Amino acid sequence: MVSSSRHLSIPVAAADVSPETTVGLLLKQAERFRPRTLLRFYDEPAQAWRAVSWDEFRDRVLLVAQGLIDTGLKPGDRVLLLSENRFEWLLCDVGIQAGGGVTVPVYANLIASSVQAIAEDSGASLAIVADAGQAAKLSGMRHPPRVLSIETDVKRWLGEPGAGWPDVRDRLVTLSPEDVATIAYTSGTTGKPKGVVLTHRIVVAEVQACLKAYDIRPDDITLSILPYAHILERVAGFYFAGVLAGAQLNLGRGLDHLVEDIKAVRPTCMEAVPRLFEKVEQQVQDRVRKQSRPAQVLFRWAVATGRKKARSSRPGPWLRLRYAIADRLALRRLRDNLGGRLRFFVCGSAPLLAEVEEFFWAIGLPIYQGWGQTEVTGIATVNTIAEHRFGTVGRCLPGFEIRLAPDGEIEVRGPGVMKEYHHNPEATAQVLSDGWIRTGDVGSIDQDGFLTITDRKKDLIKTSGGKYVAPQPIEAQLQLDPHIQTAVVVGEGRKYVTALIVPNWPLLMKELGLDRLPEKLVDDPSVRAVVQRRVDVVNKMLDRFETVKYFQLLPRALTIETDEMTPTLKVKRRVVQDHYRDLIDLMYASPV
């Protein structure tokens, strides 16, 4: 293995590789930061966090590139990357591109049929997988014809000397900003996943726009908890925060170790999705409910004071004093539980409920919501320290423009807009026109340019009465109750709105003293009463045509394995409705 103390003779100077390529950007920054730590990961055999310098990371990337070329990688070849987050994932991603190849990231938790569909559609010539279990998902497939392993092939390359580098040198100096860097597949919530083609120029332009908007510096420390197959974590977390901004990256070990990792890393900034923030807020509220009455009163007063301060553009001396007292008595401890150094969170992937956003601001942990999708390289609009508005996903990144179509669909133009869908000119023509991309999201833009997301256009429900209902906000409100795990609102072409609800079965069974299987409890009056209380609360917030008239409880969680959830845990509505068609029909068999 290459040690951090032994560096290789690099085949070219950074100046000889285009800085408008991902690899050129890395080489340029490596020359700047050299012995500093680029990232840390948890070394399981050593049971300790291991630091990797910029020099070492660059050397290992080039060793992976040389290994791939020796294996037969040709410029433009697509390489499937199928693994959970790990140090070698990042090495392979950049190494593929350094060898002139195209990275096709695949979520490690995808089922075999979905992995095979991406492999076939991309026409991958190689695959790099984490282990035999992942390799089995590609068994018997025409694409890719060769499957390599991180544990054997990649680690073997990392132990080779890399002398000469003639092939790597040629690939690096001929790498063009217009070459394809990656094909990232969409989540497929509304149909077959499509391959989003992103060139080197597009990725680099995106991260440069992020640097103009976000205050992330070389002395920042980040913790990666989202999959690198997710466009947000890969582009914003690695290429922007790490490579371009120079922050120290820390590779989290997954949600099971999140609390330990936060305490060990003590990050200054993090990216996460709304569901994580909602769960944290629920857990805090649950703990408070178990405390004494005086402690509950103190906590609620402290949070209410924090909300007032967060909402005030110019807090007066009395409010500042009250907040200082609230912070000292209650709020600081919450931040200490999250490492004590967090400056802010970045939230994307889905809309965040306003009350959850305000809660984190109230305790002194700002959340900056942003919005984007794979087709715009992850981010198109952001809230920032200088420009923030609650309940919105911010304003355009520098260089981007947004506008609304007559039906409210959001359209985007800017440097991060994709080149095309891979081998799918029909789908490309449907969304791309004159540099503008139709995103499929619906929203509104206020007079100051702040964007608010309503829902996915294809998810909007049109009742038989002609009323449009946005299901996501209703589902999010229902899921705020700790007794509800997942809610799926239904009603397309129907007279009224209903819902399929997965309760938090362990919590409900514990609280209600029930010991039967969930299959036997879906019609239990005590269980339904708990869920009905939350439905009633949410219905009071809605217009009459939006209210949930009936609901059915599901005995099990929606899962990736049953194809009801995407790898990023978004509900596949059509699949869920097909699976539970009989239950849905029952809710429309009774008069309102």
Side-chain angles (χ1 to χ4, degrees), residues 1-8 50-51 53 55-56 59-60:
M1 299 290 285
V2 179
S3 71
S4 57
S5 60
R6 178 171 74 85
H7 303 304
L8 305 176
R50 183 188 180 291
S53 71
D55 278 334
E56 181 183 358
D59 294 352
R60 290 182 170 224

Side-chain angles (χ1 to χ4, degrees), residues 111-123 137-138 141 185 192-193:
I111 59 177
S113 60
S114 298
V115 174
Q116 292 169 5
I118 292 173
E120 191 67 28
D121 187 77
S122 66
K137 296 178 181 180
L138 295 165
M141 293 297 296
Y185 278 77
K192 180 183 175 182

Side-chain angles (χ1 to χ4, degrees), residues 196-266:
V196 174
V197 176
L198 302 175
T199 65
H200 285 269
R201 186 187 302 280
I202 290 171
V203 175
V204 173
E206 173 75 14
V207 298
Q208 289 173 336
C210 288
L211 188 64
K212 295 175 183 177
Y214 281 116
D215 178 31
I216 295 186
R217 309 181 292 258
D219 60 349
D220 271 314
I221 297 170
T222 72
L223 177 64
S224 296
I225 59 174
L226 302 178
Y228 281 124
H230 192 294
I231 193 71
L232 177 64
E233 190 65 63
R234 183 178 173 212
V235 171
F238 175 63
Y239 284 106
F240 160 52
V243 175
L244 185 59
Q248 181 195 106
L249 305 181
N250 290 267
L251 279 59
R253 292 175 289 168
L255 296 181
D256 291 343
H257 295 277
L258 181 57
V259 174
E260 302 166 63
D261 289 350
I262 287 179
K263 289 180 179 178
V265 171
R266 301 183 64 226

Side-chain angles (χ1 to χ4, degrees), residues 394-503:
R395 300 173 66 177
C396 286
L397 277 177
F400 280 79
E401 301 172 76
I402 55 172
R403 68 184 185 188
L404 298 181
D407 61 357
E409 183 176 7
I410 302 163
E411 298 180 348
V412 178
R413 181 167 65 183
V417 171
M418 71 175 187
K419 179 182 179 183
E420 61 191 358
Y421 287 125
H422 180 64
H423 287 176
N424 198 336
E426 296 83 7
T428 303
Q430 289 174 4
V431 299
L432 268 179
S433 179
D434 296 327
W436 289 91
I437 186 166
R438 292 181 282 277
T439 66
D441 282 342
V442 177
S444 60
I445 304 172
D446 69 18
Q447 60 184 6
D448 297 317
F450 285 86
L451 176 67
T452 300
I453 304 296
T454 305
D455 216 311
R456 288 290 293 169
K457 184 177 179 180
K458 291 183 179 180
D459 287 347
L460 287 178
I461 293 169
K462 187 178 182 181
T463 66
S464 59
K467 297 288 189 178
Y468 281 97
V469 177
Q472 284 189 18
I474 301 173
E475 292 161 353
Q477 287 291 341
L478 289 169
Q479 290 166 180
L480 269 183
D481 190 309
H483 301 97
I484 296 177
Q485 180 176 324
T486 309
V488 182
V489 170
V490 179
E492 178 64 31
R494 307 278 195 163
K495 291 183 293 184
Y496 48 82
V497 172
T498 61
L500 299 170
I501 293 176
V502 180

Side-chain angles (χ1 to χ4, degrees), residues 138-158:
L138 295 165
S139 177
M141 293 297 296
R142 182 167 64 99
H143 291 288
R146 186 165 185 185
V147 178
L148 307 172
S149 166
I150 288 176
E151 289 299 321
T152 55
D153 299 284
V154 173
K155 289 189 175 181
R156 173 171 52 80
W157 299 337
L158 296 177

